Amino acid sequence: MKYLLLVLLLWAPNAWGAERILALSPHACEMLYAIGAARQVVGAVSWCDYPQAAAKLPRVGSYEHINVEAALRLKPDLAIVVNRHVSGIDTLEKMGVRIVVSNPDSFESIFSDMLKLGQLTSHPHEAENIVTGLRARLDKVRAQPRSGTAVFYEVWSDPLLTAGGPGFISDMIHQAGGRNVFANLAVETPHVNVEAVIRARPELIVIPLEKRDISVRRAFWEKWLGKNSVRFVAINPDLLHRPGPRLLDGLELLQKALNGTTDGHR
């Protein structure tokens, strides 16, 4: 009996912890690397590019479609997905791959998902340590005096899109101490027009650094809002749009911009 118990204890980590994982979203990939499960990640989807080592992972599809044949060649036992409606997920599950959904919409759900991944990958202590550090940083941001800065978040310029009330971006602006000027819109990414932005009278315009030139966007808005009447900040969108461990970096940068202690490219 003692021998059997010893065998079971030795075998348990491999039995309970996933050994070959597909990270089928960028934020899941970042979470897995952050908690020390990098060696267990065998495949990813497009845009899984952080940390740098993740860019070398075999690609098995995108947000919209999983290449089932390529995925199964990697012999996965677990796949982390944004939702079950992605093409190919049902087939993976039928072939014996465990499917776990991670689509956090708040800081608490980010922390919860990281702790869950820690359990699934046999890295619970690493996950707990990471979450403890992130919680401390979040508490520090929340403890700062609220600036109340009126913010227009330019999700995209053509067509002109912003962050509405239900979205995660609107919550980040609130957490950082600001006020989303379009928080009253009950759509996550609504279309708006220039006239609506003028009426909203933003004090700060946030421009994610994607395929946009901040100097061009600055000139555009200063034409309508007046030169030196509004501040601008450009932030790496991966720090604001991916619900993973780097979101606290984005939140801290956003708070500094709201308080006027940083401006320009980040």
Side-chain angles (χ1 to χ4, degrees):
M1 178 62 72
K2 289 183 179 179
Y3 175 76
L4 178 60
L5 180 60
L6 178 61
V7 171
L8 288 173
L9 287 172
L10 290 173
W11 178 76
N14 287 331
W16 298 340
E19 291 297 322
R20 300 186 64 80
I21 306 169
L22 298 177
L24 302 184
S25 73
H27 82 266
C29 195
E30 293 193 20
M31 285 182 175
L32 290 165
Y33 273 78
I35 65 174
R39 291 189 178 184
Q40 292 152 263
V41 183
V42 296
V45 288
S46 53
W47 302 110
C48 287
D49 54 9
Y50 187 90
Q52 189 173 358
K56 300 177 183 179
L57 290 169
R59 305 289 135 163
V60 296
S62 65
Y63 280 123
E64 297 83 15
H65 175 75
I66 302 302
N67 183 329
V68 175
E69 191 173 312
L72 290 176
R73 278 200 297 267
L74 299 172
K75 300 180 180 179
D77 50 19
L78 174 68
I80 313 298
V81 302
V82 172
N83 64 68
R84 289 180 170 272
H85 303 300
V86 175
S87 174
I89 295 301
D90 285 345
T91 305
L92 287 181
E93 189 166 35
K94 288 175 183 176
M95 297 300 292
V97 180
R98 182 178 180 183
I99 305 299
V100 171
V101 175
S102 173
N103 190 17
D105 58 2
S106 67
F107 284 102
E108 285 305 316
S109 55
I110 289 171
F111 301 155
S112 176
D113 280 11
M114 291 188 72
L115 292 174
K116 182 177 182 179
L117 291 182
Q119 293 291 336
L120 290 170
T121 61
S122 298
H123 292 278
H125 301 303
E126 294 94 326
E128 288 169 7
N129 289 337
I130 292 292
V131 168
T132 297
L134 293 175
R135 281 189 190 278
R137 291 170 64 187
L138 179 59
D139 289 342
K140 185 176 180 180
V141 168
R142 287 171 169 169
Q144 300 298 313
R146 295 187 62 82
S147 68
T149 304
V151 179
F152 170 62
Y153 193 97
E154 189 185 86
V155 173
W156 197 246
S157 58
D158 187 18
L160 190 58
L161 303 175
T162 191
F168 193 78
I169 295 298
S170 189
D171 182 61
M172 281 194 68
I173 294 170
H174 176 77
Q175 297 281 358
R179 176 176 63 84
N180 176 14
V181 296
F182 288 109
N184 62 315
L185 299 182
V187 179
E188 187 170 353
T189 312
H191 288 79
V192 293
N193 55 38
V194 173
E195 291 76 11
V197 178
I198 295 172
R199 289 194 300 271
R201 302 181 66 180
E203 300 167 87
L204 176 71
I205 293 180
V206 180
I207 301 173
L209 275 174
E210 292 170 304
K211 296 178 180 178
R212 272 170 285 181
D213 185 331
I214 187 173
S215 62
V216 171
R217 299 311 300 156
R218 183 194 293 267
F220 174 85
W221 284 115
E222 286 183 340
K223 179 181 71 175
W224 292 102
L225 299 173
K227 197 172 181 63
N228 300 322
S229 65
V230 62
R231 293 184 289 113
F232 296 84
V233 65
I235 299 177
N236 177 355
D238 293 348
L239 303 182
L240 298 170
H241 298 173
R242 294 185 184 182
R246 289 193 295 164
L247 202 64
L248 264 298
D249 296 343
L251 183 66
E252 290 164 350
L253 285 172
L254 185 58
Q255 185 174 66
K256 288 179 180 178
L258 292 172
N259 293 336
T261 57
T262 187
D263 192 28
H265 296 234
R266 291 292 182 275

